[in-house]
Amino acid sequence: MTKKITLQDSYQAQARIAGRIRRTALVDSPLLSKLSGGQVALKLESTQITGSFKLRGATNAVMSLTDEQRAAGVVGVSTGNHGRGLAYAAAQAGVRCIICMSELVPQNKVEGIKSHGAEVRIVGRSQDDAQVEVDRLVAEGMTMLPPFDHRDIIAGQGTVALELLEQAPDLETVLVPLSGGGLISGVGIVLKSANPDIRVIGITMERGAAMYECLKVGKPVQVEEKATLADSLGGGIGLDNAYTFEMTKALVDEVVLVSEEEIAAAIRHAYFEERQIIEGSGSVGIAALLAGKIEHPGHCAALVSGQNIDMGLHKRIIDGENVDVETEANGGVDA
């Protein structure tokens, strides 16, 4: 039987990673507050050392390795930000690291991982394809540290909620980007343990929303991965999901979908109104607020999960171009 992840696990993770990650700011957003009728603040995990929250879980997992595991090295599959966090954490600990990725991952994220000294292997057109190479390396003796469905990863991501509660003890609603569920599971267990009345709302994109589709049918299923501005939210949850499906089902009050146009509008809003450069996946909470999809937000924190966007793409978006990454991924032909 899978041992439950608890609030205590995140407190232990917080102590383990102290001094190795950045405590990020929670900043008020007067305009989003006015537009939504709530009191909205942005938790800027986009300003984390590697540009996303993923460093928290990756650092906790690397710091929890045995001496034998450290010597053999670590491997993971990633849509970009987990790979960057894992590469950085492994480099800081002097541990060999290989990251396996699909062809859909933007080149800027590949280069970001390489910049931290990890080896990158590009395999296939989905996380599932890349996972095949991970499994081969694990068979050779390396330790897999997956992007979300892992005790130490989830507990590490929960440390962002411990910070949130210190910064805003009277929180009523928290908006969390939803992909494989590692972040929302960690955040959810911390927030619900502190106050079961805090609403935890998962926000994800309309294109290829794997966890949303799995929750809808009541079990992990394969979902086609599609090109999206929220590329870090892509990928499946794994048919043998051990933690995050059940935790998301139990802890999340609602899941909201946002369109590509709403994601682009949120990236523009963050730049022009909040003076923040954020990636599509990090913008989805703002997107939901701007689109009026969050009813009665009250004292609300939107978790801005990352900033690792290709700057050429960012410029096109803030210049007002209608960017359709799915069409571009298919050579300019609508899929």
Side-chain angles (χ1 to χ4, degrees), residues 118-180:
E119 179 186 338
V120 175
R121 298 188 183 179
I122 306 297
V123 185
R125 285 186 57 81
S126 73
Q127 277 206 90
D128 291 334
D129 292 340
Q131 184 65 43
V132 174
E133 178 67 5
V134 171
D135 294 341
R136 190 185 69 78
L137 291 165
V138 169
E140 292 180 358
M142 297 187 80
T143 295
M144 177 176 68
L145 292 179
F148 52 87
D149 197 35
H150 186 282
R151 290 188 61 84
D152 296 327
I153 298 289
I154 294 167
Q157 315 308 24
T159 63
V160 71
L162 294 175
E163 285 183 15
L164 263 179
L165 290 171
E166 293 168 6
Q167 294 165 320
D170 55 346
L171 275 174
E172 295 172 279
T173 305
V174 179
L175 309 181
V176 186
L178 175 61
S179 179

Side-chain angles (χ1 to χ4, degrees), residues 1 9 12 59 88 96 156 186 238 306 318:
M1 183 176 173
D9 290 317
Q12 290 171 351
T59 301
Y88 181 90
R96 181 190 179 206
I318 64 166

Side-chain angles (χ1 to χ4, degrees), residues 24 43-48 51-53 56 160 303-305:
T24 56
K43 177 62 170 166
L44 298 179
E45 279 298 289
S46 49
T47 63
Q48 193 50 262
S52 92
F53 75 95
R56 294 174 181 271
V160 71
L303 210 161
V304 180
S305 56

Side-chain angles (χ1 to χ4, degrees), residues 247-270:
M247 291 181 74
T248 301
K249 188 167 70 170
L251 297 166
V252 176
D253 296 284
E254 183 184 355
V255 176
V256 172
L257 300 181
V258 290
S259 69
E260 296 298 295
E261 292 77 16
E262 288 162 349
I263 292 168
I267 292 171
R268 284 192 286 269
H269 169 93

Side-chain angles (χ1 to χ4, degrees), residues 6 13 149 326:
T6 66
D149 197 35
E326 186 172 37

Side-chain angles (χ1 to χ4, degrees), residues 32-84:
L32 285 175
S33 297
K34 182 179 178 182
L35 291 171
S36 67
Q39 184 182 346
V40 177
L42 304 176
K43 177 62 170 166
L44 298 179
E45 279 298 289
S46 49
T47 63
Q48 193 50 262
I49 295 168
T50 57
S52 92
F53 75 95
K54 290 283 192 177
L55 182 62
R56 294 174 181 271
T59 301
N60 188 46
V62 169
M63 296 303 295
S64 301
L65 293 172
T66 65
D67 289 344
E68 185 181 1
Q69 289 171 328
R70 289 166 64 96
V74 295
V75 60
V77 67
S78 175
T79 53
N81 287 334
H82 171 64
R84 196 166 187 157

Side-chain angles (χ1 to χ4, degrees), residues 68-110:
E68 185 181 1
Q69 289 171 328
R70 289 166 64 96
V74 295
V75 60
V77 67
S78 175
T79 53
N81 287 334
H82 171 64
R84 196 166 187 157
L86 186 55
Y88 181 90
Q92 295 300 302
V95 174
R96 181 190 179 206
C97 179
I98 299 176
I99 303 297
C100 301
M101 314 174 82
S102 86
E103 296 169 7
L104 292 181
V105 176
Q107 187 61 29
N108 71 296
K109 294 194 172 180
V110 175

